[in-house]
């Protein structure tokens, strides 16, 4: 998935184009829009690849509550657990980009309904970015 494809998926998922750009900007700042990146690994090096492989193989837990991971740099233990469960239920890697975009949308709808409602009608880029942050 390219950066443009991520934005398109967010719009298809129900966000306005402006809200999708705000979310994309947040993802760019958080992860450079790389879905298998570990917090602090600015180049998405072998460290991030190994971390993802270890989580997928069950050699380490994603839900450690201290290391951000993925497009949105999910860090809270409860959110990481939900991301992990979402990936496993779909039979894909925790680093799968499409799955993470879908998880982001599902999480917004389910856990942050007021923010989601705003993002479905947002016409102010600054306002949308501020609310997402």
């Amino acid at each position: 998935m390219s950066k443009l494809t991520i934005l398109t998926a967010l719009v298809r998922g129900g966000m306005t184009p402006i809200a999708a750009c705000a979310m994309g900007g947040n993802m760019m700042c958080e992860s450079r829009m790389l879905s298998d990146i570990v917090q602090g690994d600015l180049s998405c090096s072998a460290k991030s690849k190994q971390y993802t492989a270890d989580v997928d193989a069950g050699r380490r837990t994603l839900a450690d509550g201290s290391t951000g991971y993925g497009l949105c740099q999910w860090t809270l233990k409860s959110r990481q657990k939900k991301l992990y469960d979402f990936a496993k239920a779909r039979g894909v890697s925790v680093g799968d980009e499409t799955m993470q975009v879908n998880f982001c949308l599902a999480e917004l709808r389910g856990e942050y309904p007021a923010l989601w409602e705003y993002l479905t009608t947002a016409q102010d880029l600054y306002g949308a970015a501020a609310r997402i942050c």
Side-chain angles (χ1 to χ4, degrees):
M1 206 180 254
S2 69
K3 291 168 182 57
L4 181 57
T5 306
I6 290 172
L7 298 178
T8 301
L10 294 172
V11 171
R12 286 186 180 152
M15 289 183 187
T16 65
I18 288 172
C21 288
M23 181 61 74
N26 182 276
M27 289 176 177
M28 184 61 79
C29 290
E30 291 284 357
S31 65
R32 294 182 30 237
M33 291 182 117
L34 299 171
S35 61
D36 60 350
I37 194 165
V38 176
Q39 182 177 355
D41 186 8
L42 299 178
S43 63
C44 198
S45 68
K47 172 187 167 186
S48 288
K49 304 285 185 212
Q50 187 61 53
Y51 183 95
T52 300
D54 287 348
V55 169
D56 287 339
R59 292 186 295 268
R60 84 176 306 144
T61 181
L62 175 64
D64 67 7
S66 64
T67 305
Y69 182 78
L71 289 172
C72 296
Q73 288 294 285
W74 288 279
T75 306
L76 292 176
K77 196 172 194 175
S78 60
R79 293 176 77 196
Q80 289 175 333
K81 173 84 169 86
K82 288 176 185 175
L83 174 64
Y84 178 83
D85 291 346
F86 196 86
K88 292 305 152 197
R90 284 148 185 79
V92 299
S93 169
V94 296
D96 184 86
E97 187 175 82
T98 300
M99 177 278 300
Q100 286 189 20
V101 171
N102 290 328
F103 177 74
C104 174
L105 290 165
E107 186 180 46
L108 284 165
R109 287 184 194 111
E111 302 294 324
Y112 305 95
L115 175 58
W116 175 249
E117 181 63 30
Y118 176 79
L119 296 175
T120 65
T121 61
Q123 295 301 316
D124 171 34
L125 183 59
Y126 179 79
R131 287 191 187 200
I132 288 168
C133 290

